[in-house]
Amino acid sequence: MISSLGYAVEAEPQFKIDQLAQVDGIPWGMAQIDTQTLLVTVLDGQLLRINTSSGEIKEVSGLPRIARLGQGGLLDVALSPDFPETSWVYFTYAHPTEEGATTALARAKFNSDKLSDWQDLLVSDASSSKGQHFGSRIAFDHNGHVFFTVGDRGTRANAQDLSNHAGAILRLNMDGSVPADNPYVRHGKIKPEIWSFGHRNPQGLFYDQATGFLWSNEHGPRGGDEINLIRVGANYGWPIVSHGKEYWAPLNVGETTSKEGMEDPKKVFIPSIAPSSLLIYRGELFKDWQGDFLSTALSLRHLNNVRLASGEVFETRFLEDLNERLRDVIELNDGSLVVSTDSGLILNIRPKIE
């Protein structure tokens, strides 16, 4: 590994990579039901149950109408912390609206091949006819709260406008009600669900049970992808603060790269890697990765590893030889990883034992 001024490229022979399944479409989100079952969302609007031993794929019924608009569709899936008792599964998806679509958080009961008792917990006030920047990942703090992300929907000013949900990380009680201790719950002109704001398009979100910290990563413009430590009520600066460039010219976006009253990222990626998920590894199989950030990358097509240590940032890139747009990564109960690709591959990654 080397510092954040550059990155290391590791050879791939240290991994054992097994194809678990091939799906038709982009497998956007994944969740482990048990030792041999995954739930996988497909962006076009299907929910799949995959047997990781046999590769058998079954479609799960019971989804609502889903808007397939640009980057929007059926997005993340996550099991409630009390899933074994309640069977609740949480989803984010592009909810159809008169203007086009918006990001929504929902939950439903899972029973084998069907969903029941579908509940839209929050249809966010972020509706647009644009197809950009829906977010949207889900995380739980195991204290009765669920977080999810909403992008700025392609309108930069949204991220600093707290009268809507766009460009924000939202926090709800598990039933969709607003927690009494949310930072803006008593401000009449601010959406009470907002936990943090000033985000461009956060497609990674992870609550670290070991530390109690909430982390996100998000797409910058041309350069300026970020990993952020999420603090209650904090402003992450977009579009006033950015490390990125305009798409149409080599001009800086925003006023500056750092500003008082706005949170600085813990890691900036220049050039952009297009981060599409985030976790902190806490398993035992990859012993050298304990506590490291892992993220899938779309534009630079690799599994990204970042370590924060003693004020320094170290980055390593893996799986580049696959030459795949990597969409999601999750840690299984056995400590191995499952990675999905935009070509529809579901891959299990574990260390190769000589």
Side-chain angles (χ1 to χ4, degrees):
M1 290 185 175
I2 60 177
S3 74
S4 59
L5 296 176
Y7 64 90
V9 176
E10 295 286 337
E12 306 301 348
Q14 73 269 36
F15 299 125
K16 183 176 185 292
I17 303 176
D18 293 315
Q19 180 176 321
L20 301 180
Q22 169 77 60
V23 307
D24 184 13
I26 297 174
W28 209 94
M30 301 183 290
Q32 183 182 19
I33 294 289
D34 55 41
T35 56
Q36 61 181 17
T37 309
L38 291 178
L39 279 183
V40 177
T41 59
V42 178
L43 190 61
D44 285 342
Q46 296 84 42
L47 178 65
L48 306 178
R49 191 189 73 181
I50 296 178
N51 185 306
T52 57
S53 297
S54 67
E56 180 185 30
I57 300 174
K58 290 188 175 181
E59 187 166 357
V60 178
S61 64
L63 290 171
R65 189 164 69 93
I66 294 168
R68 183 66 179 93
L69 176 65
Q71 297 167 1
L74 182 57
L75 301 172
D76 206 13
V77 56
L79 306 187
S80 172
D82 60 0
F83 174 80
E85 295 76 41
T86 66
S87 300
W88 285 121
V89 179
Y90 286 69
F91 299 90
T92 49
Y93 73 103
H95 186 284
T97 66
E98 290 184 1
E99 296 86 357
T102 190
T103 305
L105 176 75
R107 68 177 181 177
K109 299 275 184 123
F110 172 76
N111 181 15
S112 186
D113 295 332
K114 64 181 180 180
L115 300 174
S116 62
D117 197 15
W118 183 275
Q119 301 174 8
D120 282 332
L121 301 180
L122 181 65
V123 178
S124 69
D125 181 4
S127 185
S128 174
S129 61
K130 294 182 178 182
Q132 300 102 315
H133 303 176
F134 287 84
S136 174
R137 295 289 177 188
I138 302 168
F140 304 100
D141 65 6
H142 289 249
N143 292 315
H145 304 114
V146 56
F147 300 85
F148 75 105
T149 65
V150 183
D152 70 4
R153 301 307 322 284
T155 299
R156 293 178 178 180
N158 278 342
Q160 295 294 321
D161 181 358
L162 277 68
S163 68
N164 65 60
H165 292 121
I169 295 176
L170 310 180
R171 179 186 186 242
L172 300 172
N173 294 318
M174 299 295 288
D175 63 359
S177 59
V178 178
D181 59 346
N182 270 13
Y184 302 110
V185 75
R186 293 178 179 83
H187 293 259
K189 295 184 179 180
I190 298 177
K191 292 294 184 184
E193 298 86 0
I194 291 175
W195 187 252
S196 65
F197 65 101
H199 301 284
R200 183 173 182 264
N201 190 28
Q203 285 193 344
L205 189 68
F206 189 82
Y207 185 87
D208 187 12
Q209 301 296 329
T211 63
F213 292 151
L214 180 69
W215 296 85
S216 78
N217 61 12
E218 64 184 84
H219 295 260
R222 194 159 56 93
D225 297 341
E226 299 176 356
I227 296 177
N228 285 304
L229 174 61
I230 302 303
R231 303 184 189 278
V232 55
N235 181 355
Y236 288 81
W238 176 256
I240 298 168
V241 170
S242 175
H243 290 258
K245 305 288 186 183
E246 296 287 359
Y247 288 104
W248 48 272
L251 301 174
N252 293 335
V253 174
E255 301 172 3
T256 181
T257 58
S258 184
K259 188 171 185 177
E260 186 176 356
M262 297 180 179
E263 295 289 320
D264 291 332
K266 299 302 182 183
K267 162 68 178 173
V268 176
F269 296 91
I270 300 175
S272 292
I273 66 169
S276 51
S277 62
L278 182 70
L279 65 81
I280 295 175
Y281 185 77
R282 294 296 181 187
E284 298 296 331
L285 281 185
F286 297 90
K287 296 187 183 299
D288 292 340
W289 293 0
Q290 184 67 224
D292 290 359
F293 295 93
L294 297 177
S295 172
T296 43
L298 297 170
S299 65
L300 293 194
R301 301 182 177 224
H302 66 271
L303 181 67
N304 192 264
N305 176 300
V306 168
R307 178 174 299 168
L308 305 180
S310 302
E312 293 190 80
V313 182
F314 302 90
E315 180 187 359
T316 313
R317 299 180 180 183
F318 300 98
L319 305 183
E320 289 184 307
D321 289 352
L322 292 177
N323 193 29
E324 294 273 1
R325 284 169 56 89
L326 304 186
R327 177 62 60 172
D328 192 20
V329 58
I330 62 171
E331 180 186 329
L332 298 186
N333 294 337
D334 67 0
S336 68
L337 302 173
V338 174
V339 171
S340 68
T341 76
D342 276 9
S343 66
L345 291 172
I346 310 293
L347 304 174
N348 181 238
I349 315 293
R350 58 181 63 239
K352 182 178 285 186
I353 300 175
E354 299 294 339

